[in-house]
Amino acid sequence: MVARGAEQEVVPPRADCLVESLRAFSYELPTAIADLVDNSVSAGARRVWVDFYWDGAESCIAVTDDGRGMTEAQLVDAMRLGSTSPLAPRKPRDLGRFGLGLKTASFSQCRRLTVRSKQRSGKPATWRWDLDQIVRTNEWVLLRDGDDAARHFQRLEELGSGTAIVWQNLDRLVGGDRTGDDRAQARFLTRADRVREHLAMIFHDLMRGRESVRLFINDSLITPWDPYLQDEPATQVLPITRLDFRGSLVSVHPFVLPHHSKISAQILNAAAGPHGWNAHQGFFVYREGRLLVPGDWLGLGWAREEHYKLARIRLDIPNTLDLDWAIDVTKSRASPPAALREQLRGIAERTRAAAKRVYTFRGAKLTPAADADRVFLWEPVAKHDKIRYRLNREHPLLKQALSKGRDRASLSALLSLIEETVPVSHITIQSAENPGSMRDPFEGIADSQVREVMSQVFRALVSSGWAEDEARDRIRTLWPFELFPALLETIR
């Protein structure tokens, strides 16, 4: 060390202050546990168990895997803060980057972190960080003592190799809760359910295929989430675009999910994801198959809106581009480099347009001619930066009623009153708060009644001079009759 007053001086951080500051990383419990699972995947694990043990203030959480395990020297190095340089190249499927994940994720949730690891040859090694010990001594001293965590290493003892991580003194999860406090226990187990949902989302891609990883919560196998509903016939799978950036390929694969009327209620609820339909729109950013961002427009100029909630765009980047994409320590944020933003925006615009069409028109397929000349009963009108909805006076039924009504003035007044009192605010709130609760046109109505309305329109068109074949083709352009092609064929 250079003496004080010289041109240089070594100023090591205070261990007691820094360790408390490290607890401030923006981890929630699910993201913290996901960070531990990252290490298991990087170690070649095929099975990872997450176990929640309730015992009031003595509750703990254990994460065990059947990966390669570590020697004692490797474990000591893994317990070091900054064990790997973020600038060091990573192997494919290595989900780490900063050499901080194990420590910062654990410190954010507990004050005592104990890790035991073993390889197929060699003895198990056990080391512990105790934050209270660090604060008392102001020294970064690892402890061998792990006897009080030994019962949570039983699963590891039954494996040929692997690693077990135990969190104790969960001050931010249970604090001083009593063992017999039923409400506190329910909250603890509810957190386990949130972790299940999060892991099913974050690792869904790695939980499928021949090299899949199986994840368990309290011995219950986690079912991977399918954000793209690829098995549903009504899902639109758009073309993949591969972007070359700094010698690495970035893959962009857009999907437009089906309108809720095309899928079952069970699939609709599952596809909503942990955070709901609106939250999971936009780009899903993956790094080596691990989901980082579960839906976001990545600062390309759009907010989350109801009409675009069916747009989900898979975006895969390799771990060689971490710095370019500004991947953070918690691996929950990403920002595209400036050189790719315009291309990503173009892909997103096309996907958003397709998604809005499905949302608005239930994904109906029209002939090009019909699509160009489509007629709606309601139409938006913009005036002084305000939007109102008015009835289309050119709609065949309305046009006929206005031309043949005995009291045209009264009918026009009634139509104006209807237009001025459309409950737009209520409809918007109801649709946003309860997706799928709004009734579709003629939903639950007998085919005979729908056919009668079609027939009235058909007769109105014929009486106004349309030939029958032309009238039938015209009906195809009238929303929502295009949704009932079989009934259209019966109109004579």
Side-chain angles (χ1 to χ4, degrees):
M1 179 181 295
V2 180
R4 188 180 299 274
E7 294 182 359
Q8 298 182 18
E9 187 167 348
V10 176
V11 185
R14 286 179 55 99
D16 56 341
C17 298
L18 180 58
V19 75
E20 296 295 347
S21 298
L22 290 173
R23 307 195 76 201
F25 275 85
S26 57
Y27 284 99
E28 294 185 357
L29 177 62
T31 56
I33 291 182
D35 219 330
L36 302 191
V37 176
D38 286 342
N39 293 336
S40 297
V41 173
S42 297
R46 300 299 294 274
R47 293 173 296 173
V48 183
W49 296 268
V50 180
D51 295 300
F52 285 70
Y53 298 95
W54 169 254
D55 189 12
E58 302 301 317
S59 299
C60 69
I61 297 174
V63 178
T64 308
D65 68 55
D66 64 353
R68 291 184 295 271
M70 293 175 278
T71 64
E72 182 156 10
Q74 289 171 333
L75 176 56
V76 169
D77 193 53
M79 297 291 277
R80 185 196 311 275
L81 274 78
S83 55
T84 304
S85 169
L87 302 178
R90 294 279 184 169
K91 296 179 181 179
R93 203 169 179 173
D94 187 339
L95 303 184
R97 170 52 59 189
F98 296 95
L100 289 172
L102 168 64
K103 286 74 67 173
T104 53
S106 300
F107 294 167
S108 73
Q109 307 299 316
C110 72
R111 299 192 67 82
R112 189 180 302 157
L113 162 66
T114 308
V115 183
R116 176 174 291 182
S117 190
K118 68 175 184 177
Q119 296 186 332
R120 293 196 176 276
S121 60
K123 295 180 180 180
T126 307
W127 288 96
R128 163 180 291 176
W129 281 121
D130 188 319
L131 303 195
D132 293 328
Q133 170 77 8
I134 295 173
V135 171
R136 283 195 303 268
T137 64
N138 193 23
E139 294 284 349
W140 294 103
V141 177
L142 275 174
L143 304 175
R144 280 191 180 276
D145 177 28
D147 291 344
D148 60 344
R151 63 192 179 101
H152 304 302
F153 296 139
Q154 183 176 354
R155 193 189 300 277
L156 178 64
E157 301 303 323
E158 299 170 358
L159 300 172
S161 64
T163 300
I165 299 167
V166 178
W167 290 349
Q168 295 171 293
N169 197 351
L170 301 169
D171 60 327
R172 295 185 172 177
L173 295 180
V174 295
D177 292 339
R178 293 176 291 104
T179 303
D181 187 336
D182 293 338
R183 290 186 177 180
Q185 182 178 6
R187 288 195 299 270
F188 187 70
L189 296 179
T190 298
R191 290 188 173 102
D193 292 335
R194 288 179 54 215
V195 170
R196 174 188 296 276
E197 290 181 344
H198 187 74
L199 298 184
M201 174 178 69
I202 295 299
F203 297 100
H204 74 90
D205 201 49
L206 298 174
M207 295 165 68
R208 294 189 174 94
R210 294 179 59 186
E211 300 296 322
S212 63
V213 179
R214 289 189 294 166
L215 307 181
F216 301 84
I217 291 275
N218 291 341
D219 288 322
S220 175
L221 181 65
I222 298 177
T223 302
W225 180 48
D226 177 11
Y228 310 112
L229 297 183
Q230 295 184 70
D231 293 332
E232 291 299 315
T235 296
Q236 294 185 30
V237 183
L238 305 183
I240 298 177
T241 301
R242 290 184 173 85
L243 307 175
D244 188 346
F245 180 75
R246 292 166 57 94
S248 298
L249 288 180
V250 174
S251 173
V252 188
H253 194 184
F255 297 84
V256 177
L257 274 59
H259 188 275
H260 66 80
S261 64
K262 305 289 187 181
I263 54 179
S264 68
Q266 181 180 4
I267 293 175
L268 176 70
N269 290 333
H275 307 301
W277 275 98
N278 278 354
H280 291 301
Q281 62 181 268
F283 289 94
F284 281 59
V285 182
Y286 295 78
R287 173 182 178 268
E288 300 296 335
R290 193 266 206 203
L291 182 59
L292 301 179
V293 180
D296 190 78
W297 292 114
L298 301 181
L300 295 177
W302 305 296
R304 293 184 176 98
E305 298 179 55
E306 177 75 10
H307 283 82
Y308 302 105
K309 68 182 183 181
L310 302 180
R312 292 179 179 176
I313 307 172
R314 175 168 184 147
L315 193 157
D316 284 90
I317 64 174
N319 59 20
T320 55
L321 298 181
D322 286 353
L323 297 180
D324 299 286
W325 282 79
I327 306 301
D328 70 343
V329 173
T330 63
K331 286 173 279 189
S332 59
R333 298 183 182 88
S335 179
L340 295 180
R341 295 179 71 86
E342 283 306 311
Q343 292 167 289
L344 294 176
R345 183 178 176 85
I347 295 170
E349 285 178 337
R350 293 189 292 272
T351 308
R352 283 165 57 88
K356 184 176 181 180
R357 176 186 173 91
V358 171
Y359 178 91
T360 307
F361 307 128
R362 293 180 60 180
K365 304 289 185 181
L366 296 179
T367 62
D371 193 32
D373 200 22
R374 179 188 249 165
V375 177
F376 296 95
L377 179 59
W378 290 94
E379 56 186 10
V381 178
K383 185 176 182 180
H384 303 309
D385 297 324
K386 298 285 187 179
I387 300 292
R388 62 183 290 267
Y389 291 87
R390 55 162 284 174
L391 291 162
N392 180 10
R393 266 59 173 181
E394 295 302 313
H395 191 281
L397 275 183
L398 199 53
K399 190 174 184 179
Q400 184 183 55
L402 288 170
S403 64
K404 295 186 177 181
R406 295 180 180 179
D407 190 347
R408 183 170 181 176
S410 296
L411 180 58
S412 294
L414 175 60
L415 296 179
S416 295
L417 181 61
I418 292 172
E419 291 170 338
E420 295 299 328
T421 56
V422 176
V424 175
S425 297
H426 176 78
I427 293 171
T428 302
I429 293 171
Q430 180 68 19
S431 180
E433 292 183 348
N434 300 289
S437 65
M438 303 301 291
R439 180 177 170 274
D440 287 317
F442 295 115
E443 182 178 347
I445 303 299
D447 284 353
S448 58
Q449 292 178 264
V450 180
R451 188 180 185 281
E452 176 58 28
V453 177
M454 286 185 181
S455 297
Q456 291 288 349
V457 177
F458 178 72
R459 287 192 286 271
L461 289 169
V462 171
S463 66
S464 63
W466 291 69
E468 290 191 6
D469 288 343
E470 293 174 336
R472 271 191 293 274
D473 288 339
R474 184 59 172 167
I475 291 176
R476 295 179 193 278
T477 70
L478 303 180
W479 175 259
F481 298 138
E482 62 194 49
L483 303 176
F484 305 92
L487 292 181
L488 281 171
E489 297 302 323
T490 69
I491 300 298
R492 295 287 184 273

